[in-house]
Amino acid sequence: MTSDNRIGPPSFGSERDTLRAFLDYQRATLAMKCERLTDEELRQQSMPPSTLSLLGLVRHMAEVERAWFRRVFEDNDAPMVWSDKIDFQAAYDASASTRAEAFAAWEAEMENSRRIEREAESLDLAGHQPRWGEEVSLRMVMVHVLLEYGRHNGHADFLREGVDGTVGA
């Protein structure tokens, strides 16, 4: 059983406060899905041929945070965390990774993303999305990353259930 210490999003609030709260809620959901698991359990894969694991999801979300905040708003050429090229799939291979390594990278990228969002004067801050070759707003980036977490937290539900039977939230 995991503990649920997440702070739920507000029922009323500004657009920015609401997006920020929903994004942090989804981040906390992934962390909760990984609670109380060993490195070996976090590396446990779903089923062949998939190499997806909870630790792989954490690594992947570190890449997502970097690609959509740091690379869009600060440094279009910042290297990815787990690959020399922009290969989000490389992060899923967590066979040699540890909780400490993956979570340190993910937490650093989340903090960087939060700083970028806090320092932005508005959600209309424009950044260059290098893969798309076009300008995008901070609002669009926050919604996109929120949707990434929502999708992958669904995967995390199934992965966690497969590890130890824990279900819910």
Side-chain angles (χ1 to χ4, degrees), residues 8 10-11 17 21 32 44 52 54 63 77 85 87 98 100-101 108 110 115 133 140 145 149 157 165 169:
S11 297
D17 289 342
M32 183 182 74
Q44 187 173 315
L52 191 61
L54 286 165
E63 293 283 44
D77 297 319
K85 55 186 183 210
D87 179 5
T98 64
E101 172 192 46
M110 285 189 293
R115 179 189 53 76
M140 181 271 164
V145 174
Y149 273 103
D157 285 337

Side-chain angles (χ1 to χ4, degrees), residues 75-86:
D75 180 1
N76 290 156
D77 297 319
M80 297 301 283
V81 182
W82 310 110
S83 71
D84 293 334
K85 55 186 183 210
I86 301 174

Side-chain angles (χ1 to χ4, degrees), residues 29-153:
T29 298
L30 182 55
M32 183 182 74
K33 293 295 176 183
C34 297
E35 274 184 2
R36 298 187 182 106
L37 295 178
T38 66
D39 285 6
E40 183 178 322
E41 289 170 325
L42 287 169
R43 285 191 296 266
Q44 187 173 315
Q45 297 174 354
S46 58
M47 60 191 287
S50 176
T51 60
L52 191 61
S53 68
L54 286 165
L55 202 55
L57 285 177
V58 169
R59 288 167 46 106
H60 176 73
M61 293 313 298
E63 293 283 44
V64 168
E65 294 269 0
R66 178 172 286 203
W68 282 98
F69 285 93
R70 184 185 306 249
R71 288 179 52 92
V72 168
F73 298 108
E74 287 188 336
D75 180 1
N76 290 156
D77 297 319
M80 297 301 283
V81 182
W82 310 110
S83 71
D84 293 334
K85 55 186 183 210
I86 301 174
D87 179 5
F88 287 93
Q89 300 305 309
Y92 287 133
D93 181 8
S95 58
S97 191
T98 64
R99 169 193 287 274
E101 172 192 46
F103 273 77
W106 182 45
E107 289 165 1
E109 291 306 321
M110 285 189 293
E111 186 48 44
N112 191 64
S113 298
R114 288 180 179 116
R115 179 189 53 76
I116 289 168
E117 184 272 322
R118 277 192 315 266
E119 292 175 358
E121 289 185 28
S122 81
L123 293 175
D124 293 323
L125 174 69
H128 182 73
Q129 211 306 332
R131 290 180 69 199
W132 295 354
E134 65 182 50
E135 297 296 304
V136 295
S137 69
L138 176 59
R139 174 185 296 101
M140 181 271 164
V141 166
M142 290 179 76
V143 169
H144 181 83
V145 174
L146 176 61
L147 292 173
E148 280 278 321
Y149 273 103
R151 180 166 64 111
H152 292 308
N153 281 339

